[in-house]
Amino acid sequence: MKTEELKQLYAAPTEGFHERVVQTLDRLETISAAPKHHVTARKVAIICAVAAALGVLSVTAVATNFFGLTTTQTGMYSYSVKMQNESSQLESLSRFKMVLPYIPEACKSGYCSDIEFYYSNHEEDYLHVYVMEDEELDSKIMNVVETSETEMDGHQVVIFTCKVAQNIDRLYYTVFKYFKEEGCALVFSASDYDELMKTVEQAAVKLKEVSEEPEEEEYGENIHALKDYREMGAGGGFMDEYTSGRVKNVEIGEAMELQVADYGKATAKVTAVITSLRKQDTAEGLLWEDFTRFSDIDLYSRYFNSDGTLKKEFSTTRVDGADGDHLGVATELTYTRHFYVAEIEVTADSDINNLYGAFGIGVEVYDKATKTYYKNGMTPDGEHCWVICRTNGNYNQTMNLKKGETATIRIGLIAENEMEDFAYLVVSAVDAQHNHYQNYMLKVKE
């Protein structure tokens, strides 16, 4: 898998939502012994996260379907939105480019790609815009208290006013703007109605010119064996490796002998040793520039105070019980953060220009008692367990390793609530020349 398309279609813009968008991670998927059923993100229910006014609000039916968007009420508080798929110009998402002439001033620092824009300050201001193809648009909108339809420059626009829970007094809005000739729609979610409608009114979609370059040229040096393995990989990912008995346990100070080769590179023999793993309440010993940063946020500021001390707790809201005929009920949750720092010493028998292309240190979360694997280190409630800092690890920096020299890689990882009980530090290596994958794991909390 060379590209990732992220669409978080659930609840309020929580930290979990933001990271899944800006890191281009896969959607959260909890894997257990039960059979898996694949559902694309665009066909999952859209349940956005800002609440609504108290009191009784009537539900007004959408006026017409004359442009091609078909909107059907499926419950007292739910609607289904589909496109009639009439366009003869269906294109893959990679061919689309959003045009957003107006973005609210408060949101201008948000993440933006050709097919998605996202901003959230984790309070009340947020804006999410993304492209959906008409062959895939089949969305369920929950917690709808009012609907309306209008026309903007010949484009059908359907507006949903929603509230996330019966016990929170804020509204949010989801809007669909349909582009029939292009065969797609823009989907908007925001908390400020007036600013949202200015964005919707001026927004457009255009088709990009066909690139004559091969896919490999488009992504260039961002294609690496370890990245491909972790996303899809011939090894089947960490969980398949683990359940097949191919992940080896390792202790602190124990040498790991690895074969390492990125695409097109010669195989090198690498020795890696986890020399320490400690829990701490500060960022002492870590460099600010090694903390991961995405668009408008940096993870150092998210998890640490200006004096370097860990922000040990944070609160968020979970909504349960929403269905077509019932509004959800919001519950305030408080998460406790645990911070661990690990050091790994690495040596090689030959020069390696970019060690991170085929060798990496990460964290995986597996609850052996319930046989539950938390993909991307996140629970359904949004609890995280993930690496937030790595030596030379930000903005695609490289880690060069000379023959016979020892490099020290220092990582920092966050585990929230009980996630630390199920977390494993994982050292992975890929020998792309021989289709060989290796994983070692060390329990974070003993």
Side-chain angles (χ1 to χ4, degrees), residues 27-40:
R27 284 184 53 80
L28 172 65
E29 179 182 5
T30 301
I31 301 176
S32 64
K36 294 182 289 184
H37 302 280
H38 177 70
V39 182
T40 61

Side-chain angles (χ1 to χ4, degrees), residues 142-428:
M142 304 292 291
N143 295 343
V144 180
V145 294
E146 187 174 355
T147 67
S148 61
E149 183 175 321
T150 187
E151 177 186 345
M152 293 182 179
D153 297 326
H155 299 288
Q156 180 187 13
V157 175
V158 180
I159 304 165
F160 296 91
T161 301
C162 309
K163 63 178 180 178
V164 71
Q166 58 182 322
N167 56 335
I168 296 181
D169 189 15
R170 288 197 311 270
L171 291 169
Y172 74 93
Y173 308 89
T174 296
V175 177
F176 291 79
K177 187 174 184 179
Y178 182 46
F179 296 85
K180 181 176 181 180
E181 292 187 1
E182 290 79 3
C184 69
L186 283 177
V187 185
F188 307 76
S189 290
S191 52
D192 186 322
Y193 178 82
D194 292 335
E195 290 288 86
L196 172 62
M197 295 315 295
K198 291 178 185 178
T199 303
V200 173
E201 184 176 11
Q202 300 181 40
V205 172
K206 66 179 183 180
L207 298 177
K208 295 190 296 185
E209 296 294 328
V210 177
S211 174
E212 299 298 329
E213 295 182 355
E215 183 176 335
E216 286 72 19
E217 292 296 323
E218 180 180 352
Y219 298 99
E221 295 182 356
N222 289 326
I223 299 177
H224 294 295
L226 184 60
K227 182 175 185 290
D228 279 355
Y229 165 65
R230 283 181 169 171
E231 293 175 350
M232 184 174 292
F238 176 81
M239 191 56 189
D240 286 348
E241 293 278 291
Y242 179 84
T243 55
S244 299
R246 294 191 293 268
V247 180
K248 300 178 182 179
N249 290 290
V250 68
E251 301 294 335
I252 292 177
E254 182 179 348
M256 295 167 277
E257 303 297 333
L258 306 161
Q259 295 174 214
V260 175
D262 203 350
Y263 295 133
K265 305 294 183 181
T267 299
K269 293 183 179 180
V270 170
T271 300
V273 179
I274 302 172
T275 58
S276 66
L277 175 61
R278 62 187 180 274
K279 188 174 185 179
Q280 59 188 60
D281 293 332
T282 71
E284 181 181 359
L286 303 173
L287 299 177
W288 178 84
E289 56 265 28
D290 289 337
F291 280 82
T292 305
R293 296 185 292 278
F294 325 113
S295 74
D296 59 322
I297 66 167
D298 70 88
L299 293 189
Y300 181 92
S301 298
R302 169 164 295 184
Y303 291 108
F304 294 91
N305 298 303
S306 58
D307 63 356
T309 56
L310 177 67
K311 297 177 181 178
K312 292 185 178 181
E313 291 187 347
F314 81 100
S315 297
T316 188
T317 301
R318 185 184 69 195
V319 178
D320 300 300
D323 59 32
D325 294 320
H326 301 88
L327 297 174
V329 177
T331 303
E332 291 294 323
L333 300 176
T334 298
Y335 293 166
T336 300
R337 291 166 171 158
H338 310 279
F339 183 59
Y340 289 84
V341 176
E343 290 186 354
I344 300 92
E345 292 185 352
V346 184
T347 57
D349 69 349
S350 58
D351 293 351
I352 302 178
N353 290 333
N354 179 17
L355 180 66
Y356 289 154
F359 171 90
I361 306 101
V363 62
E364 300 285 352
V365 184
Y366 181 65
D367 183 350
K368 291 183 178 179
T370 62
K371 296 183 178 180
T372 302
Y373 170 62
Y374 295 102
K375 191 173 183 180
N376 299 329
M378 193 178 300
T379 70
D381 285 341
E383 297 161 306
H384 284 88
C385 184
W386 64 322
V387 172
I388 64 171
C389 173
R390 183 185 66 178
T391 301
N392 285 9
N394 196 37
Y395 290 132
N396 294 318
Q397 291 176 297
T398 60
M399 170 64 79
N400 298 327
L401 189 60
K402 297 294 184 181
K403 177 182 178 180
E405 293 183 356
T406 299
T408 299
I409 300 173
R410 185 178 290 111
I411 71 164
L413 66 92
I414 286 286
E416 293 170 344
N417 291 351
E418 296 181 354
M419 294 286 275
E420 68 168 347
D421 296 330
F422 315 126
Y424 294 87
L425 186 68
V426 176
V427 176
S428 303

